[in-house]
């Protein structure tokens, strides 16, 4: 999608701190970290949010989760939180599906 911040980051048109990349997904550090470790994993394909996941694109979403597990193993993260804010009321500000991965501090439940 031409006017999407995360499509541009995935395409390398806007700089980011890359954590991981393959043909299907891209991971990069969040610019405003909320934990000692806070990166985002996105599909390269433009999917607006979890609400737009269906049988036609769920394989790439599953791949993103497998990549999260792989990065966590490689970084030695044995405890972490995966969040995907969906819709404005839930706090979504960028409308390209992304999984926040947060680690390195105690976390509370429920989230605010
Ligand atoms: P959300 O508010 O759940 O949609 O998450 C969007 C996230 O993108 C926020 O945590 C922002 O800090 C992060 N973000 C926004 N712009 C950038 C950027 N240029 N590089 C890295 N992270 C960004
Ligand atoms: Zn996009």
């Amino acid at each position: 999608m031409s006017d999407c911040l995360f499509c541009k980051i995935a395409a390398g048109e806007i700089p980011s701190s890359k954590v991981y990349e393959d043909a299907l997904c891209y991971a990069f550090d969040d610019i405003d970290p909320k934990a000692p470790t806070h990166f985002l994993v996105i599909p390269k394909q433009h999917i607006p949010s979890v609400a737009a996941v269906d049988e036609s694109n769920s394989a790439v979403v599953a791949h993103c989760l497998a990549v999260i597990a792989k990065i966590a193993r490689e970084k030695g993260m044995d405890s972490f939180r995966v969040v995907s804010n969906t819709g404005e009321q839930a706090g979504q500000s960028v409308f390209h599906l992304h999984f926040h991965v947060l680690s390195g501090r105690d976390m509370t439940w429920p989230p605010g």
Side-chain angles (χ1 to χ4, degrees), residues 19-88:
V19 172
Y20 174 88
E21 180 174 18
D22 64 24
L24 296 177
C25 73
Y26 187 76
F28 56 106
D29 290 319
D30 197 293
I31 204 166
D32 182 18
K34 299 294 190 267
T37 298
H38 183 181
F39 58 88
L40 305 173
V41 179
I42 64 172
K44 289 188 171 178
Q45 172 187 349
H46 183 84
I47 300 170
S49 74
V50 169
V53 176
D54 60 21
E55 292 304 324
S56 76
N57 57 25
S58 58
V60 71
V61 177
H63 179 73
C64 289
L65 293 174
V67 162
I68 289 170
K70 173 183 163 64
I71 296 170
R73 278 193 300 275
E74 289 176 359
K75 287 182 174 286
M77 295 160 49
D78 54 6
S79 186
F80 56 92
R81 182 170 289 180
V82 179
V83 174
S84 191
N85 298 321
T86 304
E88 283 179 20

Side-chain angles (χ1 to χ4, degrees), residues 1 4 6-7 46 95-96:
M1 197 183 171
C4 169
F6 285 180
C7 281
H46 183 84
F95 287 80
H96 179 128

